[in-house]
């Protein structure tokens, strides 16, 4: 038995490969060379081969990849061969955008419930999903088979929301609040934090302030005096 | 002269430290031990010391960090000591949520322009910002000093939008469309891709399919038979 660690960046790249293979498939492309696929995905061909090698042998030497063979394999690896059932908490601006999502997220999922603590939002239907009170969460998560809770509430409510979702029985949480959530170890949490990404951009656009450091902004290399 | 590479994850952690120091400052905390700060930020104390050491010497041995000294230093490093000027393209659901942002992003920035190609959206005021036609971009980017373009358009329009923003003179792009943008090398691009993060969650929640692999889902380790 051999142990191999699959870096999460490799998983992100698999998602990118799947998207582009999907587009190629829609265009009727049947076979693609690893060089061409790499170009489209913005990586190098060796990277694609390495990422795929974690999961088995794909592609034909001297030919490339058969789109209709590789795509379903990657979809299976990523868990995109089933429809995931999502429940949203927080039907404000961002939450509503997520429910009406189509342009920004494309994947194998569907929102089957939405919750909000504000009475004025309860009873609304957004993107085809009814907004229910928090009190209904436990019941609706079970009834509708919600697997993943999506947190789009204010930071001050995020931890309480996570606790409620875990108690209701979700397996994973997608957190849009800029808060470090404390969850039991068997719950998978992914954070999407706009602020962190914006600040990374600010940092890269900021000329180094200190005379003690000069930073090559594009590469992230710092030239330090010692 | 010594060269040091600062990993982008260290920059993300600096953002987290800044946020939590800001909260501590608001609560009137003057000094905090590295152990306590580490707890709040969800990292270990050695990590904080290492991340800060890239930029100089901070903190007092046996005492900890003076909140009102460390916070402005980190803010300066991250470029948060100025207000960044953002221009949004795409005033749909997500774009509107970003303009009315307060809950989800907190940082030193302001939207000074918004653009859309759909006539019905032009002339609207969202979160205090007027929505203008694409034709006005070049003029308004200069007039309002837009430094960063935020792309919240459909994937099919994302590259055209990036080209327009670059031509208009932005220095950086925050891209919410699930598309790999081609930009000149002097333009900094950050991508926020909901779909990729969701798919990473799906992957982690998916039991390994192949009999040839067993994956320890929490750690990402694969147990491969050879």
């Amino acid at each position: 038995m051999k142990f191999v660690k699959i870096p999460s960046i490799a998983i992100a790249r698999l998602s990118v490969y799947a998207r582009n293979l999907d587009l190629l498939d829609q265009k009727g492309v049947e076979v693609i060379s690893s060089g061409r696929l790499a170009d489209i995905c913005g990586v190098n061909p060796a990277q694609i081969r390495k990422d795929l090698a974690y999961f088995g042998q794909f592609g034909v030497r001297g030919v490339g990849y058969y789109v209709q063979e590789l795509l379903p394999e990657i979809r299976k690896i990523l868990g995109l061969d089933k429809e995931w059932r999502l429940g949203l908490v927080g039907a404000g601006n961002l939450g509503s955008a997520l429910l009406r999502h189509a342009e920004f997220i494309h994947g194998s999922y569907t929102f089957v419930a939405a919750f909000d603590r504000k009475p004025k939002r309860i009873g609304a239907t957004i993107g085809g999903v009814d907004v229910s009170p928090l009190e209904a969460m436990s019941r609706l998560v079970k009834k509708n088979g919600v697997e993943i809770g999506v947190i789009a509430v204010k930071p001050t409510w995020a931890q309480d929301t996570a606790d409620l979702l875990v108690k209701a029985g979700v397996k994973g949480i997608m957190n849009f609040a800029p808060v470090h959530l404390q969850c039991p170890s068997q719950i998978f949490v992914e954070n999407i934090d706009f602020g962190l990404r914006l600040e990374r951009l600010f940092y890269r656009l900021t000329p180094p302030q200190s005379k003690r450091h000069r930073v090559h902004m594009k590469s992230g290399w710092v030239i330090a005096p010692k």
Side-chain angles (χ1 to χ4, degrees), chain A residues 22-195:
Chain A
D22 196 23
L23 289 175
L24 290 165
D25 189 35
Q26 286 173 32
K27 284 181 196 158
V29 176
E30 290 179 12
V31 186
I32 187 154
S33 69
S34 60
R36 184 80 194 94
L37 182 59
D39 271 354
I40 298 173
C41 298
V43 299
N44 66 62
Q47 189 69 68
I48 295 191
R49 284 191 291 269
K50 196 179 162 194
D51 290 338
L52 291 175
Y54 287 116
F55 300 95
Q57 267 214 303
F58 305 96
V60 180
R61 191 178 290 271
V63 176
Y65 299 105
Y66 289 98
V67 174
Q68 293 206 346
E69 281 180 19
L70 184 55
L71 180 55
E73 290 286 350
I74 297 182
R75 293 182 62 85
K76 207 198 283 182
I77 292 165
L78 291 175
L80 302 181
D81 55 343
K82 64 161 268 180
E83 196 170 59
W84 293 89
R85 300 173 75 80
L86 274 50
L88 175 85
V89 190
N93 285 313
L94 176 66
S96 302
L98 292 170
L99 291 173
R100 299 193 195 99
H101 56 78
E103 309 99 278
F104 293 99
I105 318 181
H106 60 124
S108 338
Y109 70 91
T110 180
F111 279 99
V112 293
F115 307 93
D116 204 289
R117 63 182 187 89
K118 292 193 183 154
K120 65 168 183 178
R121 288 187 186 149
I122 291 163
T125 302
I126 305 172
V129 183
D130 294 336
V131 180
S132 305
L134 292 183
E135 293 69 37
M137 193 189 288
S138 191
R139 185 176 56 84
L140 287 177
V141 162
K142 281 168 193 73
K143 188 183 155 210
N144 296 349
V146 174
E147 297 163 294
I148 293 171
V150 177
I151 298 182
V153 303
K154 284 188 207 258
T156 40
W157 293 97
Q159 183 62 54
D160 287 351
T161 302
D163 295 344
L164 284 174
L165 283 166
V166 170
K167 210 175 144 196
V170 304
K171 297 178 212 160
I173 288 177
M174 188 85 188
N175 174 35
F176 283 88
V179 171
H180 174 73
L181 297 176
Q182 311 280 352
C183 288
S185 63
Q186 76 277 15
I187 304 292
F188 294 105
V189 180
E190 283 282 338
N191 299 292
I192 289 204
D193 191 322
F194 298 172

